[in-house]
Amino acid sequence: MSDLFTQIKEQVQQHQPTIVFPEGTDERILKAAVRLTEERVVKPILIGAPEAIKEVATKEGIELSSDITIENPADYAEFDAMVEAFVARRKGKETEESARKVLLDVNYFGTMLVYMDKAEGLVSGAAHSTGDTVRPALQIIKTQPGIKRTSGVFVMVKDDQKFVFGDCAINIAPNAEELSEIAIATAETAKLFDIDPKVAMLSFSTLGSASSQETQKVSEATKIAQAARPDLVIDGEFQFDAAFVPAVAQKKAPNSPLQGQANVFIFPSLESGNLGYKIAQRLGGYDAIGPILQGLNKPVNDLSRGCDADDVFKLSLITAMQAINQRVTV
């Protein structure tokens, strides 16, 4: 785990992207912002009234560096330009009057900073729901071309083992086309963590050993993903053991390119994905890093409300790494 984040930190330090934190009055965010600044990996922007942020910092014994920028929606110098850009982006769904109210919300304000290139990514969720974090991103930043919706994955780490599980956070019951999008996006996310993706589309059937609407959906999703990205190793539908255990793969799927060596696992529903990552975490002893949101034009990531400052620090590093990668691909 520490080795993984040491590698990420070394990559990020070369670029030091600017990341916005809408929850500037949360002590966990402040502690992480200080650490990110001290270790020179990210340039943080905190959102909130400066007096309120400094009051929390003083109370918690946190010394804020002058390198940490604080922006207050109530007196932001470019607020008029932000309102204009927001109204244009929403294409008639907001008036100037309603926009001025909406943009006082810290998550909308922070997301607009990313949209207007004042920051390269956003981390929120320590004191807000997933919907509060994701909704502004979907309305303003939106998904990448060819991707209809965002999805959420976890990187599962134990010793020198790394796997990616998706979707474990956003889409309750994706159809075949959506599942194929999730598979492709998750394979690309895996590459950020130096994983050569071998993608297994999971089900309770292996290559037709059982037949139902559920298994047929996964089989169809596999075909769509394979046709869209023939350069990726994607196969399914697979039971987990056939995707993960070489001896089982030899019996159930001897001609599959996975050969029981899958490292990216795509679950057929949010229910199964959420259960799967938590079983691996609690019974298997894996550290679960995420959820990492993927498919957006710019990175926005969602913290758990039960997070600590170290969780904020780590997710900020991942967000920074996504931002750097998108610099390269744009």
Side-chain angles (χ1 to χ4, degrees):
M1 182 73 159
S2 60
D3 289 344
L4 173 63
F5 279 98
T6 297
Q7 293 171 11
I8 294 174
K9 191 167 77 169
E10 288 173 353
Q11 294 176 38
V12 172
Q13 279 176 324
Q14 300 174 39
H15 304 274
Q16 296 185 44
T18 300
I19 305 297
V20 60
F21 298 88
E23 299 159 323
T25 55
D26 190 295
E27 70 274 10
R28 297 165 294 178
I29 300 296
L30 297 184
K31 289 175 182 176
V34 169
R35 182 179 172 190
L36 289 164
T37 304
E38 289 177 347
E39 298 188 20
R40 298 188 179 280
V41 286
V42 161
K43 298 173 183 176
I45 298 177
L46 302 176
I47 305 303
E51 301 80 11
I53 292 173
K54 290 172 184 176
E55 181 180 346
V56 173
T58 300
K59 180 182 176 182
E60 298 295 329
I62 301 168
E63 187 174 345
L64 295 178
S65 164
S66 59
D67 293 330
I68 297 176
T69 301
I70 298 176
E71 296 290 3
N72 185 1
D75 59 11
Y76 182 56
E78 297 183 48
F79 195 75
D80 288 344
M82 180 181 284
V83 168
E84 183 179 351
F86 181 65
V87 171
R89 186 62 165 167
R90 297 292 287 138
K91 297 180 179 178
K93 294 180 180 179
E94 299 285 353
T95 65
E96 180 180 338
E97 181 181 3
S98 65
R100 288 185 178 278
K101 294 177 181 178
V102 170
L103 291 174
L104 292 177
D105 178 286
V106 292
N107 281 307
Y108 274 94
F109 180 84
T111 304
M112 279 301 295
L113 289 180
V114 177
Y115 176 67
M116 296 171 69
D117 294 326
K118 306 296 183 182
E120 293 181 71
L122 178 146
V123 173
S124 188
H128 290 87
S129 69
T130 295
D132 290 337
T133 301
V134 175
R135 192 177 305 109
L138 293 178
Q139 292 178 356
I140 299 167
I141 293 174
K142 302 187 179 182
T143 55
Q144 296 168 359
I147 296 179
K148 293 181 179 179
R149 57 181 61 202
T150 188
S151 52
V153 304
F154 283 83
V155 179
M156 309 301 294
V157 181
K158 183 179 180 182
D159 300 326
D160 60 348
Q161 295 181 311
K162 294 181 289 187
F163 304 100
V164 187
F165 287 9
D167 176 1
C168 306
I170 302 293
N171 298 286
I172 295 174
N175 60 32
E177 183 179 356
E178 291 162 351
L179 203 57
S180 70
E181 285 185 359
I182 292 168
I184 293 168
T186 306
E188 294 300 327
T189 296
K191 293 177 183 179
L192 294 179
F193 295 89
D194 199 27
I195 296 171
D196 181 17
K198 296 178 176 61
V199 183
M201 309 291 284
L202 297 180
S203 183
F204 59 84
S205 166
T206 298
L207 300 179
S209 63
S211 181
S212 70
Q213 288 184 342
E214 291 81 6
T215 63
Q216 290 168 11
K217 177 187 78 171
V218 177
S219 178
E220 182 183 351
T222 303
K223 292 174 184 176
I224 295 170
Q226 289 172 335
R229 289 294 301 273
D231 57 308
L232 294 173
V233 177
I234 303 174
D235 206 4
E237 83 280 9
F238 272 100
Q239 293 163 288
F240 183 83
D241 58 352
F244 188 67
V245 182
V248 177
Q250 277 297 309
K251 294 178 180 178
K252 292 187 175 183
N255 297 319
S256 170
L258 292 180
Q259 293 296 301
Q261 297 179 346
N263 50 25
V264 175
F265 300 94
I266 305 303
F267 293 84
S269 67
L270 179 59
E271 182 177 45
S272 58
N274 188 270
L275 290 168
Y277 99 79
K278 288 188 176 180
I279 290 171
Q281 180 185 36
R282 301 300 180 181
L283 289 183
Y286 282 80
D287 288 307
I289 304 165
I292 301 164
L293 302 186
Q294 55 187 18
L296 293 167
N297 281 309
K298 294 185 179 181
V300 170
N301 281 314
D302 178 41
L303 293 159
S304 165
R305 278 174 281 183
C307 69
D308 59 24
D310 190 54
D311 294 327
V312 179
F313 179 82
K314 289 174 179 175
L315 193 58
S316 301
L317 288 181
I318 291 170
T319 306
M321 185 171 65
Q322 288 177 300
I324 292 164
N325 183 67
Q326 289 190 344
R327 282 185 193 174
V328 173
T329 56
V330 169

